[in-house]
Amino acid sequence: METITSRNPATGTPLTRLDQTPLEAIPGMVVRARAAQQAWALVRPKDRIKYFINAREHLLDNVDTLAELICQENGKPRFEAIVNDILPAMDLLSQYAKRAPKLLRDRPISMHLMKHRKSSLNFWPKGVIAILSPWNYPFSIPFGEITLGLLSGNAVIFKPSEVTPLIGLKIAEIFEQACLPKDLL
């Protein structure tokens, strides 16, 4: 099995070695995610929100640990890790937890020229989506994309940057701590 070595970019010191997911394991991940997503799509957006509130609380409780991890693996100063990666993720969780039910509900569309017809805008989950994240904002960008994908009723296959794999694992851990159903992420 191939491995990835996570290094501190400031010193070049290895932080840890991680096993790569074998290519042949990916189809099985997609099958499990698709099965989990079918049940998840039936959960109303207002009921999905509790998982994201739990994730936000976990983030609040672990800001220092997460900031330190971003500093070590990405090389950002602590202040930048908090302000540019962690706080935007917490804000996104708060805003979408508050607004998701309204944003995701079906809406009528006004038919200006054909008043005798009715039309509506409906939101349906896509199924399983893939998110490939960058190294430069290794927490806020993928965390936001994962949040929006999950909140919309999708399952997510997440591939963190090979430069910042520990941060990717931390994102998965946060959602696991939030009691997100198994195999959705």
Side-chain angles (χ1 to χ4, degrees):
M1 181 173 288
E2 292 187 45
T3 61
I4 295 174
T5 301
S6 174
R7 296 181 182 280
N8 181 322
T11 64
T13 308
L15 299 172
T16 192
R17 294 181 73 81
L18 300 167
D19 292 334
Q20 285 188 30
T21 302
L23 193 57
E24 55 274 2
I26 295 173
M29 292 169 63
V30 173
V31 168
R32 288 188 305 278
R34 184 169 286 125
Q37 185 274 333
Q38 289 173 350
W40 182 246
L42 300 175
V43 177
R44 297 179 309 175
K46 75 179 199 172
D47 295 329
R48 291 181 202 139
I49 290 170
K50 69 180 178 184
Y51 299 99
F52 302 97
I53 298 299
N54 290 345
R56 185 189 65 198
E57 294 307 310
H58 184 71
L59 272 174
L60 282 169
D61 292 342
N62 295 285
V63 168
D64 293 328
T65 305
L66 183 55
E68 183 60 31
L69 177 62
I70 293 170
C71 291
Q72 285 181 354
E73 192 173 50
N74 180 258
K76 287 184 181 181
R78 182 178 173 73
F79 178 78
E80 189 176 331
I82 293 171
V83 171
N84 292 336
D85 264 308
I86 300 169
L87 290 180
M90 288 193 303
D91 186 48
L92 181 127
L93 286 169
S94 297
Q95 293 300 315
Y96 280 101
K98 189 184 313 178
R99 295 190 172 115
K102 184 177 179 183
L103 291 172
L104 294 173
R105 80 171 175 234
D106 296 341
R107 301 188 266 268
I109 298 174
S110 176
M111 301 295 289
H112 299 289
L113 298 175
M114 300 179 162
K115 299 282 186 197
H116 64 287
R117 296 206 177 207
K118 290 185 179 183
S119 189
S120 64
L121 178 62
N122 305 98
F123 292 95
W124 290 294
K126 295 289 186 188
V128 179
I129 60 175
I131 294 175
L132 310 175
S133 74
W135 63 270
N136 56 341
Y137 287 90
F139 187 79
S140 63
I141 291 176
F143 193 87
E145 292 172 343
I146 290 167
T147 297
L148 296 176
L150 292 170
L151 197 53
S152 299
N154 299 296
V156 174
I157 302 291
F158 171 48
K159 188 256 178 225
S161 168
E162 65 279 359
V163 178
T164 55
L166 294 175
I167 297 168
L169 289 173
K170 183 57 94 173
I171 291 171
E173 178 187 310
I174 289 166
F175 282 109
E176 185 179 308
Q177 293 292 322
C179 299
L180 190 71
K182 186 172 171 30
D183 295 324
L184 272 180
L185 174 62

